[in-house]
Amino acid sequence: MADIRRITTADPLYPQECALREQVLLGPIGYDMARFRREFSGMEEKFEHFVAVVRHASGPRVIGCATLLPAYPAAGTGKLMQMAVDPQRQGEGLGRRLVVAVESRAFGELGLTELFCHAQLPAIGFYDALGWETVSDEFTEAGVPHRKMRLRAEKPGMAERLVEE
């Protein structure tokens, strides 16, 4: 079973998070972490980083991650970004657990009223199943089709889902 943890860029697990993001998200669109840091200067330090970690003979291993950009674009709102799960571990519910951890932090601890993300088209069903709503037409970001999705704190059923975790 994976543990979901919130880490900082100083955590020993952070390089593994970066490697997973490069493998799953950035590499396929021609980016690496260095380019991401250049083009989105200061973003890594503003993110709250969440990782799914399993025990391994060689030490803890990051198998999933997500970031939260709180108070973006304004107070009360946050953006879920850079979510990735190791391709060999997809389908195990790790993505759901990461999103719920981000939601719990955003709505419970930070008091945000709304989260949004830019979901790649194949991920829309995933977010729909978690109660997020599509709030935009299709647009292209980093050469990939997306739609903006949103979840509000008062969304019916959200509190029950957070308690389940």
Side-chain angles (χ1 to χ4, degrees), residues 29 118-124 137-148:
I29 60 170
H118 293 173
Q120 293 183 15
L121 298 187
I124 289 173
D137 291 330
E138 186 177 313
F139 61 93
T140 301
E141 185 174 80
V144 179
H146 288 75
R147 288 190 136 176
K148 182 177 179 179

Side-chain angles (χ1 to χ4, degrees), residues 113-124:
T113 58
E114 182 178 300
L115 281 175
F116 75 97
C117 71
H118 293 173
Q120 293 183 15
L121 298 187
I124 289 173

Side-chain angles (χ1 to χ4, degrees), residues 47-59:
F47 283 152
E48 293 199 8
H49 299 261
F50 295 80
V51 293
V53 181
V54 292
R55 290 185 202 155
H56 188 269
S58 63

Side-chain angles (χ1 to χ4, degrees), residues 27-91:
I29 60 170
Y31 274 71
D32 59 17
M33 285 303 297
R35 181 176 174 192
F36 182 84
R37 284 189 188 99
R38 275 193 314 275
E39 293 187 17
F40 301 95
S41 181
M43 196 73 88
E44 282 299 301
E45 293 72 30
K46 292 178 185 174
F47 283 152
E48 293 199 8
H49 299 261
F50 295 80
V51 293
V53 181
V54 292
R55 290 185 202 155
H56 188 269
S58 63
R61 179 177 288 165
V62 173
I63 58 170
C65 61
T67 62
L68 168 64
L69 184 56
Y72 179 85
T77 303
K79 185 175 183 183
L80 170 67
M81 300 177 67
Q82 297 286 301
M83 191 169 111
V85 173
D86 182 317
Q88 295 180 328
R89 303 300 297 259
Q90 291 177 3

